[in-house]
Structure formats: structure tokens, C-alpha cells
Amino acid sequence: MKRDLEAMSRTAYDLVIVGGGISGASIAWDAALRGLKVALLEKEDFAHGTTSGSSKLIHGGLRYLQNGELALVRESLRERRIWEMIAPHMVFPLPFLLPTYGQGMSGKLIMSVGLTFYDLLSYDRNRLDDPDKKLPGYKTVSREEALEIMPSLKKEGLTGGKIYYDCQMFAPERLCLEFILGAAEQGADAANYAEVTGFLERPGGNGKRIEGVRVKDRENGKEHEIRGALTVNASGPWADKLMGLAEENPPRQLIRSKGIHLITRQLSGETALAVKSEIGGHFFVIPWRGHTIIGTTDTVFSHEPDAMGVTEEDIEKFLLVVNDGLPGLGLTRGDVQHFYVGLRPLIDETPEEGTKDSYNASREAEVFDHGEKHGIDGLLSALGGKWTTSRNLAEEVVDKAAKKLGRKLKPCATESTPLYGGAIKRFRPFLDEAKQRHQRYAPDIIDNLGHFHGARMDDILEIAGTEPKLEERLDDQSPDIGAQIVNAVRNEMALHLDDALMRRSGIGTLGRPSPQLIGKAAGLMAEELGWDGARREQEIARLSRYFSTKPSGTA
């Protein structure tokens, strides 16, 4: 996958997609598979924003049952099974404990009714070839069993718990990238650090027609025009801002919900928890890659989306909520090994003068055609939605695009086509076989390559075999090797150190890597990209922003 905005400016596309998060990536993959010529543009790095700021869950949305959103829950549960099939190296079952208290909404009876319905809505969940991917129905555990899983649960009124299953992503940034890599393999063109600054317009119909976009290359400042028969706005929390470049009063507004997450030592073994705090609502405690994610907050964010960040005040307030919900835990700031944030783009259905409510706002998605009522033909906006349903949203967008283009396309194939590294029948036997074939490498290195690269792991090992230093660990504790960094530059459009460490490998997503690792990775990228000493230090400094909080009042 090569970045070439000059060549893209000389190409006529069927679809120009703005936004390189999971929505735009899914649309690019679906459209390319169906034979459309696709351009994908992202103003930062791929998976930079909301896509990397999630709770890492592929889930049905149990709490949406309370809001009566049965269609959304069923859609999510269907998509959950599809994720397990197309990304077997990235999506895995995860048990959740719901503690039960008293006789009300948190009581045994109500929980049993809700989970029975949840299981019924996921009636097809085990139509899978891999037994390791199958999800049991819910079960009841005793008070003692619940406390054994999490001794810090509130004990007063605790009657036991329910264990049900959803799924978890190993690395959402990498999973998003696989859509883009797959689309590129099917002929799509993509560019990161390509900021759309305006639309190419001409008079048409009862208004105007969009014929593509103006793009600024943020790496060198050059301006380009990328032309396409149809432009798709898939820019997530920036979607209404992008609409504003086409019309003064965008027809759809968003509520931006800020969600912060904390990463700590492992707290609950292999079982996740859904916990209620009296002062801050529900939050999850989620085991992930040998650590625990605690998340998420859900507050309306009214600043510019580019200003989003985590403040020390955010962390302090969330720790109060966590310690209220789990009073025996006693987490302090020193227990927080890493933190991150995401913005959920929710369609604003608030009546005028109404109070914005991100927690209860629907996670439903919408495909909006600006030509139908607003006289701006050639522009579609994919709004709202969530990680779990992004593939289905993409199918809806491409179906609508085909009608707009007057094209009869092949049927959608993303429901059954493995992702870029997903051509694996059963993941555990795949890893066992890989360890046998590559006995010169430590088992943890092969495990890591299998999770991040799946069926493409041999591509990385081929690069590793060209130089001894590319076979070496990046530091003594890391399962990541030098070849992963080099591959990120050569084949995955990593232009900056944080691209490689935060989104191509996931090395930095558990917290600040060691100075040794950062230095070695920066040195490998410097060799590939021709950085001098000053640029190398700039890249290391740029990486630090992911591990630093922002001043209060700015995020």
C-alpha cells in the first residue's frame, strides 16, 4: 500500500471516501470488493480518532434493550458473529459478570429476563466452524463465586451474579487497517495525512453537484484535487464539520460523547465486569492483553473535536466513580498505567432548547443523501453507528452509492470474505502450526505476530530474515520485532513514529514503551525514511503526547 496523492489527483474515482476510521475503512473494503474504483482520504493517520478510542468490544449492546432498541441489538448480535468469522485473529469471546442486587432492575429476576432475551436475539451466535469462538448462553453464579471473580464488589445486598458472553478486539487500530489494506489489494487508493479542505462543485439539478474534494497534503503542504462521481462523508465526530464545507447550515448535527478509559494492572482475571456506581452510572472492567481497561465515561463534549484529550481532572473524577462502584479496590492515580479517549459521534435528535444527553442517545446509524432534500447531489454522509455495526453500515452505504451511480454491482461479500489477515479456519491450531514452522523464534513472538498479522505473518518473517537486527526484539520485554516497524513503513503507510507504535503494532497502547524500544524503533524508521538526528528526536517528542494529559479546560 503506497501513498501517492499526485497519482490520485490524476485518477477518476467512483467513490471518494473522507475519513479513515472504521466507517470509512469498511466502506472502502466493501466498495472495492464490488468493483468500484475507490479513494480513501484521512486527515490524520488511519484509525487515529474514535476508532482507536473504543472499549475494544464487539458487543450486542445489552443495555440498549432497556431503550427498546431491539433492531439495533439484533443487528449488533448478528454482526458480532460475522466479526468472529472474518477476523478470527482479532475478535475473541469474552465473559462478563453482572453482579445482582436486591429485587429491582439489578435483581436476579430482571437480569435473567433480559439475558434470556439477549440469548434469544443471538440465536445464530454459534453458527461457527471454530469451537473456540462459540459463545455459551448466560449462567447464574452465587454470591461467593461473584466475589471470587472480583472481591471488591459492593457486598451489601449482593445476591450473586450472571455471566454472559460478548466479544473483544485484540487491537482495533490494526483491525481497521486490515480493511484498508484489503481494499488497497483490490485496487483502492488511500492516503493518510490528507486533509479535505473543500468540495469541488458545479451547478446541477436544483442546486449543485459535488464532483470531488480539495485536499491538503499535511506532510508537504501541497494542494490536490481528487475527483469522484460520488463523495462519501465518513468522518465520524467531524462529519457535521465536513458537511459545513458544502452548506452553511448542515442538515444533521452530532452530539459528541467523550469517553475516557484507564488501563491498570490485571484486576479480574479473564472475566469482564459491568459495574454500577451511584455517582457515575455504569462502567466496564475489561481484561485486555494482560492488563485491565476501565471505561468508559459518557459526557457531552462541546469543544472542537480536534481539541479532545484526557486531563488529570478527568482521571481523578473517573477514579472516584470506579472506587464508588468497587469500594474495596482503592485505585489511585499511581495505578493508572495508561489512559486514552474517544469521541462517539451520535446523531442529535434533541428537541430545540433541549438538554443534550449522550448516554441515552441512540447508537443507530444513518446514511444521509444530501441530494434528496438539500439540492447537493453527489454527496452521502454516513452518520452515527458504532464499531460493531460498521460493516453493516458500509453495506448500506455502498448499496445506496450503487443506485446513485446507476451501477449494477456484485452483491456485498464482506459478510463472508476474510479480512486481510483473516484467512484462518481455526486460530489456535493456526498458531500451534506456526510455532512448529518457526521454531527459531520464541513462542511469544509468534503469538504476537499471529494476533496482529494473522495469515500474513509470514510476510513479516520474510522481512525479518533479511537482516539479523530485524529478527531481534525491540526490547528485552517486548514480543515485537524490528521487522514489524520496517513493514509498517514499507507496506502500511506509517509516516511517523506514533503511526508505527500506536496503530500498526499496538506497542504503545498499553502505556509508554521503554526508552530502549522507542530508540530502536525510531532508528529503524530513520533508516527507512531518511530522517536526520533532529527529525528522529522530533518524532520521539511527538510520540510523548499519547502519554501526557492535557491542561484542564482544554479537553
Side-chain angles (χ1 to χ4, degrees):
M1 183 171 69
K2 303 299 181 184
R3 180 181 186 273
D4 192 340
L5 283 166
E6 290 280 359
M8 291 175 72
S9 69
R10 298 190 297 269
T11 304
Y13 293 97
D14 297 310
L15 287 191
V16 175
I17 302 166
V18 183
I22 188 56
S23 293
S26 300
I27 296 165
W29 169 236
D30 189 327
L33 275 179
R34 295 206 230 177
L36 293 177
K37 184 61 179 172
V38 175
L40 177 70
L41 302 165
E42 165 57 48
K43 75 169 187 171
E44 296 282 349
D45 188 26
F46 306 123
H48 178 271
T50 298
T51 296
S52 62
S54 77
S55 300
K56 326 293 186 192
L57 298 178
I58 296 291
H59 66 113
L62 180 60
R63 76 175 178 88
Y64 306 151
L65 287 177
Q66 289 181 278
N67 300 338
E69 295 184 279
L70 303 186
L72 177 60
V73 175
R74 172 56 198 152
E75 176 193 0
S76 301
L77 291 170
R78 183 187 69 242
E79 292 298 310
R80 184 184 67 184
R81 179 179 63 87
I82 292 170
W83 282 107
E84 289 186 278
M85 291 192 300
I86 64 175
H89 57 311
M90 281 280 183
V91 179
F92 300 92
L94 179 67
F96 278 80
L97 170 66
L98 288 172
T100 54
Y101 293 89
Q103 304 298 319
M105 292 299 291
S106 298
K108 286 183 177 180
L109 178 60
I110 297 295
M111 289 284 192
S112 292
V113 170
L115 288 169
T116 297
F117 204 40
Y118 199 62
D119 282 349
L120 287 172
L121 287 170
S122 61
Y123 60 85
D124 56 352
R125 65 185 180 275
N126 289 328
R127 293 177 187 170
L128 298 160
D129 292 332
D130 188 345
D132 292 335
K133 300 291 186 181
K134 295 190 176 182
L135 307 182
Y138 87 90
K139 67 177 182 180
T140 301
V141 296
S142 67
R143 184 178 190 273
E144 292 70 29
E145 289 172 311
L147 288 170
E148 186 176 341
I149 293 169
M150 176 51 83
S152 298
L153 287 171
K154 284 184 178 178
K155 297 178 177 60
E156 184 179 353
L158 179 66
T159 58
K162 308 290 180 181
I163 290 181
Y164 74 100
Y165 283 77
D166 264 317
C167 286
Q168 179 180 59
M169 295 177 276
F170 188 81
E173 303 87 354
R174 183 81 209 175
L175 185 52
C176 174
L177 183 68
E178 292 221 341
F179 281 92
I180 300 171
L181 291 168
E185 200 168 58
Q186 295 293 323
D189 296 320
N192 51 359
Y193 301 103
E195 182 176 3
V196 171
T197 58
F199 290 102
L200 304 176
E201 305 173 356
R202 68 168 173 81
N206 296 319
K208 59 185 176 181
R209 178 165 187 84
I210 303 295
E211 296 188 322
V213 294
R214 293 184 181 86
V215 180
K216 179 180 179 180
D217 186 338
R218 297 182 70 178
E219 292 299 294
N220 58 28
K222 291 183 179 179
E223 303 280 346
H224 302 275
E225 293 184 350
I226 311 294
R227 295 186 176 274
L230 194 60
T231 299
V232 178
N233 171 13
S235 53
W238 291 265
D240 54 353
K241 303 290 183 183
L242 190 66
M243 285 186 225
L245 298 178
E247 51 188 312
E248 188 174 344
N249 297 305
R252 290 289 186 274
Q253 295 293 327
L254 298 178
I255 298 174
R256 295 173 183 82
S257 167
K258 178 179 176 178
I260 74 163
H261 298 78
L262 310 178
I263 294 182
T264 71
R265 68 185 184 279
Q266 196 168 54
L267 298 176
S268 61
E270 296 181 354
T271 303
L273 286 88
V275 181
K276 183 178 181 181
S277 162
E278 296 301 324
I279 63 173
H282 289 87
F283 61 89
F284 288 130
V285 177
I286 304 168
W288 187 62
R289 292 171 56 196
H291 295 69
T292 292
I293 298 171
I294 305 176
T296 173
T297 61
D298 196 335
T299 55
V300 174
F301 185 75
S302 55
H303 303 286
E304 288 294 314
D306 287 329
M308 178 189 59
V310 179
T311 67
E312 288 296 329
E313 184 181 9
D314 288 333
I315 296 174
E316 182 181 334
K317 285 182 177 179
F318 194 33
L319 285 173
L320 290 174
V321 171
V322 174
N323 288 326
D324 177 69
L326 295 168
L329 201 56
L331 286 182
T332 68
R333 180 65 176 87
D335 293 306
V336 179
Q337 298 173 4
H338 187 43
F339 48 83
Y340 64 93
V341 63
L343 277 183
R344 304 174 194 88
L346 309 174
I347 299 170
D348 188 359
E349 297 176 339
T350 310
E352 284 193 37
E353 307 303 324
T355 302
K356 310 292 185 188
D357 179 1
S358 60
Y359 184 77
N360 291 305
S362 175
R363 270 56 177 172
E364 288 272 12
E366 178 187 6
V367 182
F368 187 81
D369 184 348
H370 293 256
E372 288 181 350
K373 295 181 180 178
H374 292 262
I376 302 177
D377 205 13
L379 178 63
L380 298 177
S381 287
L383 306 171
K386 61 196 193 93
W387 238 109
T388 304
T389 56
S390 55
R391 186 216 63 86
N392 194 50
L393 172 62
E395 181 177 346
E396 186 180 346
V397 169
V398 179
D399 285 346
K400 182 163 281 194
K403 291 180 181 177
K404 294 284 291 181
L405 295 170
R407 298 273 296 275
K408 184 171 177 57
L409 303 179
K410 293 182 284 189
C412 176
T414 58
E415 184 175 335
S416 56
T417 305
L419 289 183
Y420 188 73
I424 300 165
K425 290 185 178 179
R426 297 185 178 185
F427 185 63
R428 187 161 51 176
F430 164 80
L431 276 185
D432 291 342
E433 190 271 336
K435 290 172 187 174
Q436 286 297 314
R437 284 192 296 114
H438 300 292
Q439 293 187 36
R440 63 185 295 182
Y441 294 98
D444 65 327
I445 290 175
I446 299 301
D447 275 336
N448 188 59
L449 289 174
H451 279 91
F452 276 101
H453 297 273
R456 307 287 182 137
M457 66 183 294
D458 284 354
D459 296 347
I460 313 304
L461 292 173
E462 186 176 335
I463 294 173
T466 62
E467 284 188 74
K469 68 180 179 181
L470 301 185
E471 295 185 307
E472 296 173 359
R473 297 174 187 268
L474 291 173
D475 74 9
D476 295 339
Q477 305 301 314
S478 174
D480 299 275
I481 60 176
Q484 290 168 260
I485 303 301
V486 170
N487 179 69
V489 175
R490 292 179 185 173
N491 302 314
E492 296 175 349
M493 220 177 283
L495 304 180
H496 296 278
L497 183 60
D498 56 288
D499 299 344
L501 296 188
M502 303 303 297
R503 289 172 292 279
R504 302 302 184 279
S505 64
I507 290 169
T509 56
L510 291 170
R512 186 188 295 270
S514 70
Q516 176 190 352
L517 189 154
I518 292 173
K520 190 174 285 189
L524 289 169
M525 291 193 75
E527 288 181 22
E528 291 291 316
L529 295 169
W531 296 344
D532 60 17
R535 173 64 186 273
R536 184 176 176 276
E537 293 307 309
Q538 287 172 5
E539 290 291 332
I540 292 173
R542 173 187 164 111
L543 177 68
S544 296
R545 62 182 172 158
Y546 291 92
F547 314 111
S548 305
T549 52
K550 296 190 74 171
S552 294
T554 64

